[in-house]
Amino acid sequence: MTKTEAELATAVLRDLGIVNAIDTPSAADSAFVTGKYRDCYSYYEDLGLAYWTSTAIPTAVFMMLVDLIANRCMTAFGFAQSIDEMKAREEDLLKRLRRHCARGRTGKPIRATYY
């Protein structure tokens, strides 16, 4: 199962408390978070951590990405943190993604789709 960029943006904004559980975020807020995710996605690709396409986020990494992107967006939404604090927190959060990507094969069958 996968999630979309819009679902990621909504989850980030809800985690930051910008949007409550039943409301939908504004288009500007969603666009900001989505843009930040796209920038970070390229960075994660360079690190060799992004094995998914930017528009189809696996549920296995979704909450990790919510935390990582929320960390990057905190200052823009009024949660002050210094660059050093943001980078230290990001390194700590990236450990989970690195651990996930370093796992061996599960041995479960994979459905192949050919076009």
Side-chain angles (χ1 to χ4, degrees), residues 11-35:
V12 167
L13 292 167
R14 285 184 177 152
D15 270 14
L16 291 175
I18 307 302
V19 177
N20 65 29
I22 58 173
D23 289 339
T24 56
S26 71
D29 289 346
S30 288
F32 177 80
V33 174
T34 301

PDB file of all heavy atoms in Angstrom, residues 11-35:
ATOM      1  N   ALA A  11      -0.616  14.843   6.907  1.00  0.00           N
ATOM      2  CA  ALA A  11      -0.112  14.225   8.142  1.00  0.00           C
ATOM      3  C   ALA A  11       0.923  15.111   8.831  1.00  0.00           C
ATOM      4  O   ALA A  11       0.921  15.240  10.065  1.00  0.00           O
ATOM      5  CB  ALA A  11       0.494  12.856   7.831  1.00  0.00           C
ATOM      6  N   VAL A  12       1.784  15.746   8.058  1.00  0.00           N
ATOM      7  CA  VAL A  12       2.791  16.654   8.636  1.00  0.00           C
ATOM      8  C   VAL A  12       2.104  17.827   9.311  1.00  0.00           C
ATOM      9  O   VAL A  12       2.431  18.181  10.454  1.00  0.00           O
ATOM     10  CB  VAL A  12       3.783  17.142   7.549  1.00  0.00           C
ATOM     11  CG1 VAL A  12       4.613  18.313   8.055  1.00  0.00           C
ATOM     12  CG2 VAL A  12       4.686  16.014   7.100  1.00  0.00           C
ATOM     13  N   LEU A  13       1.149  18.436   8.640  1.00  0.00           N
ATOM     14  CA  LEU A  13       0.446  19.584   9.205  1.00  0.00           C
ATOM     15  C   LEU A  13      -0.375  19.203  10.434  1.00  0.00           C
ATOM     16  O   LEU A  13      -0.500  19.994  11.371  1.00  0.00           O
ATOM     17  CB  LEU A  13      -0.423  20.245   8.132  1.00  0.00           C
ATOM     18  CG  LEU A  13       0.386  20.915   7.015  1.00  0.00           C
ATOM     19  CD1 LEU A  13      -0.507  21.257   5.843  1.00  0.00           C
ATOM     20  CD2 LEU A  13       1.096  22.145   7.537  1.00  0.00           C
ATOM     21  N   ARG A  14      -0.895  18.010  10.452  1.00  0.00           N
ATOM     22  CA  ARG A  14      -1.618  17.552  11.644  1.00  0.00           C
ATOM     23  C   ARG A  14      -0.659  17.288  12.793  1.00  0.00           C
ATOM     24  O   ARG A  14      -0.955  17.608  13.942  1.00  0.00           O
ATOM     25  CB  ARG A  14      -2.437  16.300  11.318  1.00  0.00           C
ATOM     26  CG  ARG A  14      -3.666  16.634  10.514  1.00  0.00           C
ATOM     27  CD  ARG A  14      -4.559  15.463  10.251  1.00  0.00           C
ATOM     28  NE  ARG A  14      -5.745  15.916   9.518  1.00  0.00           N
ATOM     29  CZ  ARG A  14      -6.433  15.175   8.702  1.00  0.00           C
ATOM     30  NH1 ARG A  14      -6.096  13.913   8.494  1.00  0.00           N
ATOM     31  NH2 ARG A  14      -7.480  15.666   8.080  1.00  0.00           N
ATOM     32  N   ASP A  15       0.488  16.696  12.506  1.00  0.00           N
ATOM     33  CA  ASP A  15       1.484  16.462  13.559  1.00  0.00           C
ATOM     34  C   ASP A  15       1.985  17.761  14.168  1.00  0.00           C
ATOM     35  O   ASP A  15       2.275  17.819  15.364  1.00  0.00           O
ATOM     36  CB  ASP A  15       2.666  15.655  13.020  1.00  0.00           C
ATOM     37  CG  ASP A  15       2.475  14.167  13.167  1.00  0.00           C
ATOM     38  OD1 ASP A  15       1.339  13.738  13.442  1.00  0.00           O
ATOM     39  OD2 ASP A  15       3.469  13.431  13.009  1.00  0.00           O
ATOM     40  N   LEU A  16       2.126  18.792  13.344  1.00  0.00           N
ATOM     41  CA  LEU A  16       2.589  20.086  13.844  1.00  0.00           C
ATOM     42  C   LEU A  16       1.477  20.869  14.549  1.00  0.00           C
ATOM     43  O   LEU A  16       1.743  21.892  15.159  1.00  0.00           O
ATOM     44  CB  LEU A  16       3.153  20.920  12.691  1.00  0.00           C
ATOM     45  CG  LEU A  16       4.459  20.427  12.084  1.00  0.00           C
ATOM     46  CD1 LEU A  16       4.842  21.282  10.882  1.00  0.00           C
ATOM     47  CD2 LEU A  16       5.576  20.437  13.115  1.00  0.00           C
ATOM     48  N   GLY A  17       0.237  20.391  14.446  1.00  0.00           N
ATOM     49  CA  GLY A  17      -0.885  21.071  15.087  1.00  0.00           C
ATOM     50  C   GLY A  17      -1.421  22.238  14.281  1.00  0.00           C
ATOM     51  O   GLY A  17      -2.174  23.058  14.804  1.00  0.00           O
ATOM     52  N   ILE A  18      -1.057  22.332  13.016  1.00  0.00           N
ATOM     53  CA  ILE A  18      -1.544  23.406  12.159  1.00  0.00           C
ATOM     54  C   ILE A  18      -2.984  23.120  11.744  1.00  0.00           C
ATOM     55  O   ILE A  18      -3.796  24.032  11.613  1.00  0.00           O
ATOM     56  CB  ILE A  18      -0.647  23.556  10.900  1.00  0.00           C
ATOM     57  CG1 ILE A  18       0.822  23.716  11.291  1.00  0.00           C
ATOM     58  CG2 ILE A  18      -1.122  24.687  10.002  1.00  0.00           C
ATOM     59  CD1 ILE A  18       1.108  24.893  12.195  1.00  0.00           C
ATOM     60  N   VAL A  19      -3.295  21.853  11.535  1.00  0.00           N
ATOM     61  CA  VAL A  19      -4.625  21.413  11.126  1.00  0.00           C
ATOM     62  C   VAL A  19      -5.095  20.366  12.122  1.00  0.00           C
ATOM     63  O   VAL A  19      -4.313  19.507  12.534  1.00  0.00           O
ATOM     64  CB  VAL A  19      -4.566  20.799   9.698  1.00  0.00           C
ATOM     65  CG1 VAL A  19      -5.910  20.267   9.273  1.00  0.00           C
ATOM     66  CG2 VAL A  19      -4.053  21.811   8.706  1.00  0.00           C
ATOM     67  N   ASN A  20      -6.367  20.444  12.513  1.00  0.00           N
ATOM     68  CA  ASN A  20      -6.856  19.416  13.437  1.00  0.00           C
ATOM     69  C   ASN A  20      -7.225  18.149  12.656  1.00  0.00           C
ATOM     70  O   ASN A  20      -7.114  18.093  11.444  1.00  0.00           O
ATOM     71  CB  ASN A  20      -8.020  19.941  14.285  1.00  0.00           C
ATOM     72  CG  ASN A  20      -9.244  20.279  13.478  1.00  0.00           C
ATOM     73  OD1 ASN A  20      -9.494  19.687  12.432  1.00  0.00           O
ATOM     74  ND2 ASN A  20     -10.029  21.236  13.953  1.00  0.00           N
ATOM     75  N   ALA A  21      -7.682  17.158  13.365  1.00  0.00           N
ATOM     76  CA  ALA A  21      -7.876  15.826  12.789  1.00  0.00           C
ATOM     77  C   ALA A  21      -8.964  15.755  11.719  1.00  0.00           C
ATOM     78  O   ALA A  21      -8.922  14.877  10.871  1.00  0.00           O
ATOM     79  CB  ALA A  21      -8.191  14.825  13.895  1.00  0.00           C
ATOM     80  N   ILE A  22      -9.919  16.660  11.727  1.00  0.00           N
ATOM     81  CA  ILE A  22     -11.018  16.550  10.763  1.00  0.00           C
ATOM     82  C   ILE A  22     -10.978  17.609   9.662  1.00  0.00           C
ATOM     83  O   ILE A  22     -11.693  17.489   8.685  1.00  0.00           O
ATOM     84  CB  ILE A  22     -12.385  16.585  11.476  1.00  0.00           C
ATOM     85  CG1 ILE A  22     -12.547  17.866  12.281  1.00  0.00           C
ATOM     86  CG2 ILE A  22     -12.572  15.363  12.345  1.00  0.00           C
ATOM     87  CD1 ILE A  22     -13.916  18.073  12.880  1.00  0.00           C
ATOM     88  N   ASP A  23     -10.154  18.630   9.816  1.00  0.00           N
ATOM     89  CA  ASP A  23     -10.079  19.674   8.801  1.00  0.00           C
ATOM     90  C   ASP A  23      -9.057  19.319   7.726  1.00  0.00           C
ATOM     91  O   ASP A  23      -8.187  18.483   7.923  1.00  0.00           O
ATOM     92  CB  ASP A  23      -9.698  21.018   9.436  1.00  0.00           C
ATOM     93  CG  ASP A  23     -10.823  21.595  10.273  1.00  0.00           C
ATOM     94  OD1 ASP A  23     -11.983  21.196  10.066  1.00  0.00           O
ATOM     95  OD2 ASP A  23     -10.536  22.440  11.139  1.00  0.00           O
ATOM     96  N   THR A  24      -9.189  19.982   6.602  1.00  0.00           N
ATOM     97  CA  THR A  24      -8.205  19.814   5.537  1.00  0.00           C
ATOM     98  C   THR A  24      -7.305  21.053   5.525  1.00  0.00           C
ATOM     99  O   THR A  24      -7.769  22.169   5.802  1.00  0.00           O
ATOM    100  CB  THR A  24      -8.883  19.665   4.161  1.00  0.00           C
ATOM    101  OG1 THR A  24      -9.713  20.787   3.923  1.00  0.00           O
ATOM    102  CG2 THR A  24      -9.705  18.396   4.100  1.00  0.00           C
ATOM    103  N   PRO A  25      -6.041  20.859   5.211  1.00  0.00           N
ATOM    104  CA  PRO A  25      -5.119  21.996   5.217  1.00  0.00           C
ATOM    105  C   PRO A  25      -5.371  22.939   4.039  1.00  0.00           C
ATOM    106  O   PRO A  25      -5.970  22.547   3.031  1.00  0.00           O
ATOM    107  CB  PRO A  25      -3.745  21.337   5.105  1.00  0.00           C
ATOM    108  CG  PRO A  25      -3.995  20.004   4.512  1.00  0.00           C
ATOM    109  CD  PRO A  25      -5.364  19.597   4.916  1.00  0.00           C
ATOM    110  N   SER A  26      -4.899  24.158   4.182  1.00  0.00           N
ATOM    111  CA  SER A  26      -5.024  25.116   3.070  1.00  0.00           C
ATOM    112  C   SER A  26      -4.110  24.687   1.931  1.00  0.00           C
ATOM    113  O   SER A  26      -3.132  23.954   2.131  1.00  0.00           O
ATOM    114  CB  SER A  26      -4.644  26.521   3.541  1.00  0.00           C
ATOM    115  OG  SER A  26      -3.251  26.594   3.766  1.00  0.00           O
ATOM    116  N   ALA A  27      -4.430  25.148   0.745  1.00  0.00           N
ATOM    117  CA  ALA A  27      -3.630  24.797  -0.430  1.00  0.00           C
ATOM    118  C   ALA A  27      -2.210  25.326  -0.300  1.00  0.00           C
ATOM    119  O   ALA A  27      -1.251  24.651  -0.701  1.00  0.00           O
ATOM    120  CB  ALA A  27      -4.299  25.349  -1.683  1.00  0.00           C
ATOM    121  N   ALA A  28      -2.050  26.499   0.274  1.00  0.00           N
ATOM    122  CA  ALA A  28      -0.714  27.087   0.431  1.00  0.00           C
ATOM    123  C   ALA A  28       0.135  26.270   1.397  1.00  0.00           C
ATOM    124  O   ALA A  28       1.321  26.010   1.128  1.00  0.00           O
ATOM    125  CB  ALA A  28      -0.831  28.527   0.907  1.00  0.00           C
ATOM    126  N   ASP A  29      -0.454  25.865   2.523  1.00  0.00           N
ATOM    127  CA  ASP A  29       0.286  25.055   3.492  1.00  0.00           C
ATOM    128  C   ASP A  29       0.668  23.703   2.894  1.00  0.00           C
ATOM    129  O   ASP A  29       1.794  23.238   3.045  1.00  0.00           O
ATOM    130  CB  ASP A  29      -0.535  24.849   4.771  1.00  0.00           C
ATOM    131  CG  ASP A  29      -0.654  26.115   5.605  1.00  0.00           C
ATOM    132  OD1 ASP A  29       0.099  27.077   5.350  1.00  0.00           O
ATOM    133  OD2 ASP A  29      -1.510  26.135   6.508  1.00  0.00           O
ATOM    134  N   SER A  30      -0.279  23.075   2.217  1.00  0.00           N
ATOM    135  CA  SER A  30       0.000  21.782   1.580  1.00  0.00           C
ATOM    136  C   SER A  30       1.086  21.915   0.523  1.00  0.00           C
ATOM    137  O   SER A  30       1.981  21.063   0.427  1.00  0.00           O
ATOM    138  CB  SER A  30      -1.256  21.214   0.929  1.00  0.00           C
ATOM    139  OG  SER A  30      -2.149  20.762   1.906  1.00  0.00           O
ATOM    140  N   ALA A  31       1.024  22.969  -0.273  1.00  0.00           N
ATOM    141  CA  ALA A  31       2.026  23.178  -1.320  1.00  0.00           C
ATOM    142  C   ALA A  31       3.409  23.394  -0.708  1.00  0.00           C
ATOM    143  O   ALA A  31       4.412  22.897  -1.243  1.00  0.00           O
ATOM    144  CB  ALA A  31       1.635  24.358  -2.192  1.00  0.00           C
ATOM    145  N   PHE A  32       3.473  24.113   0.398  1.00  0.00           N
ATOM    146  CA  PHE A  32       4.759  24.337   1.053  1.00  0.00           C
ATOM    147  C   PHE A  32       5.362  23.018   1.527  1.00  0.00           C
ATOM    148  O   PHE A  32       6.529  22.731   1.279  1.00  0.00           O
ATOM    149  CB  PHE A  32       4.606  25.305   2.237  1.00  0.00           C
ATOM    150  CG  PHE A  32       5.883  25.499   2.988  1.00  0.00           C
ATOM    151  CD1 PHE A  32       6.852  26.366   2.513  1.00  0.00           C
ATOM    152  CD2 PHE A  32       6.132  24.789   4.159  1.00  0.00           C
ATOM    153  CE1 PHE A  32       8.045  26.528   3.199  1.00  0.00           C
ATOM    154  CE2 PHE A  32       7.317  24.945   4.843  1.00  0.00           C
ATOM    155  CZ  PHE A  32       8.284  25.815   4.359  1.00  0.00           C
ATOM    156  N   VAL A  33       4.563  22.222   2.208  1.00  0.00           N
ATOM    157  CA  VAL A  33       5.048  20.940   2.731  1.00  0.00           C
ATOM    158  C   VAL A  33       5.415  19.992   1.588  1.00  0.00           C
ATOM    159  O   VAL A  33       6.450  19.320   1.641  1.00  0.00           O
ATOM    160  CB  VAL A  33       4.010  20.301   3.681  1.00  0.00           C
ATOM    161  CG1 VAL A  33       4.444  18.909   4.115  1.00  0.00           C
ATOM    162  CG2 VAL A  33       3.789  21.184   4.901  1.00  0.00           C
ATOM    163  N   THR A  34       4.599  19.957   0.559  1.00  0.00           N
ATOM    164  CA  THR A  34       4.891  19.098  -0.596  1.00  0.00           C
ATOM    165  C   THR A  34       6.194  19.526  -1.265  1.00  0.00           C
ATOM    166  O   THR A  34       7.008  18.676  -1.645  1.00  0.00           O
ATOM    167  CB  THR A  34       3.730  19.132  -1.603  1.00  0.00           C
ATOM    168  OG1 THR A  34       2.540  18.685  -0.942  1.00  0.00           O
ATOM    169  CG2 THR A  34       3.995  18.240  -2.794  1.00  0.00           C
ATOM    170  N   GLY A  35       6.405  20.825  -1.402  1.00  0.00           N
ATOM    171  CA  GLY A  35       7.656  21.321  -1.973  1.00  0.00           C
ATOM    172  C   GLY A  35       8.863  20.951  -1.133  1.00  0.00           C
ATOM    173  O   GLY A  35       9.915  20.556  -1.649  1.00  0.00           O
TER     174      GLY A  35
END
